[in-house]
Amino acid sequence: MPPPVGDPQHGLPPVARAILDAAQKIIVDRGFNALTLTAIAAESGENKAMVSYYFGNKAGLVAAMLEAIIHDECLAIAAQVEGTTGEERLHRLLQGICAMTLTPGFYRGFFDILPHAMRDPALRERLIALYEWYIAVELGWLGVPDDAEPERHRRLRGLAQLIAAAIDGLGVQARIDREQFDVAQAYEVLELLLRNSWREFAPGSR
Amino acid sequence: MPPPVGDPQHGLPPVARAILDAAQKIIVDRGFNALTLTAIAAESGENKAMVSYYFGNKAGLVAAMLEAIIHDECLAIAAQVEGTTGEERLHRLLQGICAMTLTPGFYRGFFDILPHAMRDPALRERLIALYEWYIAVELGWLGVPDDAEPERHRRLRGLAQLIAAAIDGLGVQARIDREQFDVAQAYEVLELLLRNSWREFAPGSR
DNA sequence: GTCTATATTGGGATAGAC
DNA sequence: GTCTATCCCAATATAGAC
């Protein structure tokens, strides 16, 4: 299941890379408002005009940033899914995601770009593709054959979407209250819920 | 369990109300960027300068908007929790929240304000209070006595946070893909998961 | 490809008339 | 309390030198 983007940073000229990296840092540290051409120039050491030169305009830069976030997130999640089997798999997956949630700067400004991306038709397409891919990965991971009966497939899709929602929502709460929020506890509960209902969702498939 | 805000619209002068309403509409329809003093004046029919007069400055207006969102959301959720008992309660709560998720303009721009609120110390405090209240309501609703053993309390807290996360996350996905996303299916799965693990979380309490 | 200088726009805020 | 007029600033974008 290939990610819905190639690496947008591959084959990018060094200056464009530097601009992209600087933009990521600014948006993670200070949010969307702080993402100005002047700030990018200062952070990257490159010239203001280079943004337009390489990305057309600011919107083009934001689109490139979203692609990079999607690419990175897909790789990180896919990495959790590999190399384990059976019982251990669920535990490892959730532990991995929990650890990512705690990583400062993970999501790389995703929540900052999200409201803008929701309103831009092209960016919204990319978001839809991201979640589609993510659901498909989870379905594969849950051991769902492509030819499962429609009704079962629908329910498993719901499960995958619910898990994705929990991950995002816990990411939000963790960012709102970094000091207090107990991410690990919430993931333990999620694991428990999934374990207890496992047989109901994957009858005969494990 | 009183909400963490009084009604910020009570006792507000009519002009201030109009400005607040206009601002809500703008942010829901067009996002944070579109929330300019000029746009607010046009939408409300009031004068630009009235924003500063009533709210001090734009940041003051945004703070008032967040209070209003929190107030409305708390009321809406609390309304779901009342008037039912036992088995029916879980179903009614989730159905109610599912219906709210589908309501266009629910959250009233919450996801647009969120990234800004996360970075503003005062607004972040309000967000923390919102989630605290929400968790407390859920804990009460799950029938958790205040004097429960710490370990059990901790686990139930995790459960409540997880449910809150799922609600937010499903709200995001529903907004990203309004046409396709099957919110109801996801809530059915959530209900199933909770039902299957119910006894484990509320032993002897129902 | 890079950079400077500048054009242009639109934002938030406020002084002061009414 | 309301509104006009205006100030100041910051932002994007680009023309054109190098």
Side-chain angles (χ1 to χ4, degrees):
Chain A
M1 180 65 59
V5 284
D7 187 344
Q9 304 184 342
H10 258 33
L12 220 52
V15 174
R17 275 287 307 248
I19 287 171
L20 206 50
D21 291 344
Q24 302 265 24
K25 178 160 171 47
I26 290 165
I27 211 167
V28 168
D29 291 349
R30 291 180 278 145
F32 200 94
N33 287 348
L35 189 70
T36 66
L37 298 188
T38 308
I40 293 167
E43 179 70 38
S44 67
E46 304 296 335
N47 190 281
K48 239 173 125 168
M50 292 297 96
V51 176
S52 301
Y53 183 76
Y54 283 107
F55 298 96
N57 53 31
K58 195 182 164 182
L61 172 64
V62 172
M65 289 175 69
L66 182 62
E67 294 298 305
I69 293 170
I70 290 175
H71 178 262
D72 292 351
E73 194 162 336
C74 285
L75 280 198
I77 289 171
Q80 303 302 325
V81 179
E82 279 175 21
T84 53
T85 57
E87 271 298 315
E88 198 199 354
R89 216 154 50 155
L90 180 63
H91 185 70
R92 278 276 298 274
L93 178 71
L94 293 178
Q95 287 298 306
I97 292 175
C98 179
M100 295 194 299
T101 301
L102 289 165
T103 306
F106 185 62
Y107 284 114
R108 316 191 75 191
F110 179 71
F111 292 125
D112 293 281
I113 294 183
L114 189 57
H116 306 270
M118 279 180 176
R119 287 187 175 82
D120 181 294
L123 299 187
R124 201 160 138 271
E125 284 293 322
R126 308 303 296 133
L127 285 177
I128 292 175
L130 166 64
Y131 279 92
E132 269 310 322
W133 172 86
Y134 184 62
I135 300 307
V137 165
E138 270 204 57
L139 287 180
W141 179 83
L142 292 167
V144 183
D146 284 346
D147 60 348
E149 325 87 84
E151 182 49 32
R152 186 167 160 246
H153 199 276
R154 225 172 77 93
R155 281 184 48 203
L156 279 157
R157 227 183 122 72
L159 178 64
Q161 288 165 337
L162 182 64
I163 295 172
I167 293 166
D168 288 346
L170 290 175
V172 169
Q173 287 181 58
R175 272 159 187 72
I176 288 176
D177 193 4
R178 285 185 195 279
E179 301 81 26
Q180 301 285 328
F181 187 71
D182 190 347
V183 195
Q185 179 64 38
Y187 272 98
E188 271 181 43
V189 172
L190 177 58
E191 185 172 346
L192 184 73
L193 292 185
L194 293 174
R195 256 183 222 292
N196 285 347
S197 296
W198 199 243
R199 289 194 330 166
E200 205 154 335
F201 280 99
S205 74
R206 54 189 300 269
Chain B
M1 181 64 59
V5 282
D7 186 345
Q9 304 185 341
H10 258 32
L12 218 54
V15 174
R17 276 287 309 247
I19 287 170
L20 207 49
D21 290 345
Q24 302 265 22
K25 179 161 171 42
I26 290 165
I27 211 168
V28 168
D29 292 348
R30 292 180 279 146
F32 201 94
N33 287 347
L35 189 70
T36 66
L37 298 188
T38 308
I40 293 166
E43 179 71 38
S44 66
E46 305 296 336
N47 190 282
K48 237 176 126 170
M50 293 296 95
V51 175
S52 302
Y53 182 77
Y54 282 107
F55 298 97
N57 53 31
K58 195 183 165 182
L61 172 64
V62 172
M65 290 175 69
L66 182 63
E67 294 297 304
I69 293 171
I70 290 175
H71 177 262
D72 293 351
E73 193 163 336
C74 286
L75 281 196
I77 289 171
Q80 303 300 327
V81 179
E82 279 175 22
T84 52
T85 58
E87 270 300 314
E88 197 199 355
R89 218 155 46 158
L90 180 63
H91 185 69
R92 277 276 297 273
L93 178 71
L94 293 179
Q95 287 298 307
I97 291 175
C98 178
M100 295 195 298
T101 300
L102 289 166
T103 305
F106 186 61
Y107 285 115
R108 316 192 74 191
F110 180 71
F111 292 124
D112 294 281
I113 295 183
L114 190 57
H116 305 271
M118 278 180 176
R119 287 188 175 82
D120 180 295
L123 299 187
R124 202 161 138 269
E125 285 291 321
R126 310 302 297 135
L127 285 177
I128 292 175
L130 165 64
Y131 279 92
E132 269 308 321
W133 173 86
Y134 184 63
I135 299 307
V137 164
E138 269 204 57
L139 287 179
W141 179 85
L142 291 167
V144 183
D146 285 345
D147 59 349
E149 324 87 86
E151 183 48 33
R152 185 164 161 249
H153 199 277
R154 224 171 78 92
R155 280 184 47 205
L156 280 157
R157 229 184 120 72
L159 177 64
Q161 289 166 336
L162 182 65
I163 295 173
I167 293 167
D168 288 346
L170 290 175
V172 168
Q173 287 181 59
R175 271 158 186 73
I176 288 175
D177 193 5
R178 287 183 193 280
E179 300 81 27
Q180 303 285 328
F181 187 72
D182 191 347
V183 195
Q185 179 64 39
Y187 272 99
E188 271 180 44
V189 172
L190 177 58
E191 185 172 344
L192 183 73
L193 291 185
L194 293 174
R195 255 182 223 296
N196 284 349
S197 296
W198 200 243
R199 288 194 330 167
E200 204 153 334
F201 280 100
S205 75
R206 50 187 302 268

